[in-house]
Amino acid sequence: MTRSAVSAPGKAFLIGEYAVLAGATALVTAVGRRAVAADCDDPDRPPASPLTEAAYAHVRSFLSESTGTKAPGPLTSVDTGSFAAGARKLGLGSSAAAVAAIVGFHLAEAGLDPEDPEVRAIALRLAQAAHAQVQGGGSGADVACAVLGGTIAFTRGEVPTPIAHPAWLHVGFFDAGAPADTASFVQQVRVAGERDPAAYADATAQLRRAAELFRGGYLGDDPDIGLTALRDAVALHNDGLRALQRLSGAPIVTPNIAAIVDQAARMGLAAKPSGAGGGDLVVAFAARQADLDLLAERLQREHGLHAIGRLPVAVPGLRRDERPPLSSRMSGFFRLGVDGRRDAVAAATRIARDRFAALDPGSLDLGSADNLIENVIGTLELPLAVATNFRINGRDFLVPMAVEEASVVAAASNAAKMIRAGGGFFARSDPPWMIAQVQLTAPKSADAPADGAVAAIHAARADLLALADSAHPRLVARGGGARDLLVRVLAPDMLVVDVVVDCQDAMGANLLNTIAEILAPVLSDMTRWTAGLRILSNLADRRRAHVTCRVPPGALAGRGFSGAAAAAGIASASRFAELDPYRAATHNKGVMNGVDAVALATGNDWRAIEAGAHAYAGLTGAYRPLATWRLDPEGWLCGAISLPAAVGVVGGATKVHPSARLALEILGATSGAELGQVMAAVGLASNLAALRALATEGIQRGHMSLHARAVALGAGAAGPEVDLLVHRLVEAAEIKHDRAVVLLRELRSESR
Ligand code: MEV
């Protein structure tokens, strides 16, 4: 029997690190990365650890002493994959979340509701005891946050107090690039404090004042007053950290952390390390999401530092999860028939089996098709398959792909398995910014030079952005809207105004076009230039998905080639594409085999994605490969792709097409950004599969039997005839329709 899943969130310190150890009150918020305890047959799931065993032992002894509760089943496993950043774990409290999830799971199994405040109080006590037993040292704030969720005011030895997260405050997270060694920093600071108690007392007093000042700002509802208090508090806190650093020698404020903190301060925002410092996580505060996005853009451009997606804060604590993490490693999946595969996908995703009828032929009925486009005379069916083995940012995905070309799905699944051997794909996204364009042309008669028009538009920038926002109040309410406005002189008599818009989880075409149309007459009036085209740009280079992977050479070995030889061949194939646009076009076709198939399956506009991808490939003036491969010093193969990803999970065909809707559900992508990351990962995997085949035995051999299958079906083979005919075609080394017709006739006459 499948037991239900229970998850617990990670945490981030908003303020009060170090000071909390000296008795001050810290503010800690629960963040949207969760540890999930659930039954899972994933062979990659880590085995029980001392921590999970301790958590289980505490629950078991609690339950054995309680009346009216059932005994727990065996220790379940816990998935903390979503805390990964590349090969390391982000400092978001994954071990505390894991303990909380294990405790919550086994309490739930014994019939207690992990969302009930009384049960949570029990869970907190048990999780804290287990965590202290195994980890020791810390304040326990992370465990409290994992159990209770939301934002809590935490003082050691006291019951944590929940406090409401202010609606005006946006919190951003940045990766300062190195793991923090919390325990050793805390220890170094403690030893230094014993050596120089006066200096330690000064520094902690400063950190305590910072925490109090911060709490005042956090509790208020005025954004201006609140942000000013947060800025002052954070500046005081960072000074206090520097004092601890001088005192202890622990490198708490690293150059990367300083770069983020300084850049935020220059933009009127506040940023500080979250946790012990020394790398890892930096938290930034702003009154608008747009300011955090701008900070992210600058940090990326000037320092190569990245934001950690958009992490929600003050999220719920322990809770039951409808859809536990699945394993995409479904060995033998391809051998199951269509029904068996549907059973397996339904079981893994917990989507009701009868809903798979939405994937039956004819599920898009003629009436609906007739409403979608004009002059309809029928529908066109394509095979819809599921690619296996994909693991992205520590989370497994079953990836729906719609494509007519044999071997694309098998190749992507195979390559994903090789990439999985190196930890899977690591992905991040730009903010969902797209461009709406208004073309302006010079008036024939009047004297209106381009500089005058440009100056007039710049002077009205704020009003124009506000006008753009007025077109989509709901988008603005969800945190999206106009972000920037640029004017480019394309020729003495032609300008273009690019309005950068945050589209949130929509692909954005409609909303961008409306913005362009609303701005056009106003731009025309203020410049006396004539408004021409008003339309989005499909070159979505502000909205890219970036995916990397690192493959151990052993995973690439096979078919008579060593892993090292295959890896070297793939790196050389990448160079070939980087040097030659003729090769780059075919290389990118292989990438788009995967990308388009996912776009099509999920009802996204694949022409827009194609246009964006190829325009991006040519953006430097030379047509370049979208995905590239290099060998690292250890001989591992490192792949990278950046792909404009103008895709959404709301609106468009994703809504109206029943198969696309179900495909999106199977995939389980929670945002447009995540869908874009999946597409880029599938593109990278498709490219790896193609290059590996090309750099070793060549593409034809592997393709032969798959191609023969398509030819056999085309010739009319059915049921057991298909395999027999494929075999004969391959043996005859002539995979052609006419030959298949003859061989099929022979086959049938033999069996009569
Ligand atoms: C075929 O659909 C795609 C390939 O041509 C891609 C490539 O050459 O890299 C195999």
Side-chain angles (χ1 to χ4, degrees), residues 405 583 586-587 589-590 593 690-691 694 699:
E405 185 176 331
R583 172 57 207 156
T586 323
H587 180 102
K589 192 277 181 183
N593 272 344
L691 297 192
L694 288 166
I699 206 86

Side-chain angles (χ1 to χ4, degrees), residues 370-383:
D370 202 20
N371 282 331
L372 270 181
I373 62 166
E374 314 72 37
N375 300 355
V376 165
I377 56 167
T379 58
L380 173 72
E381 312 270 1
L382 277 180

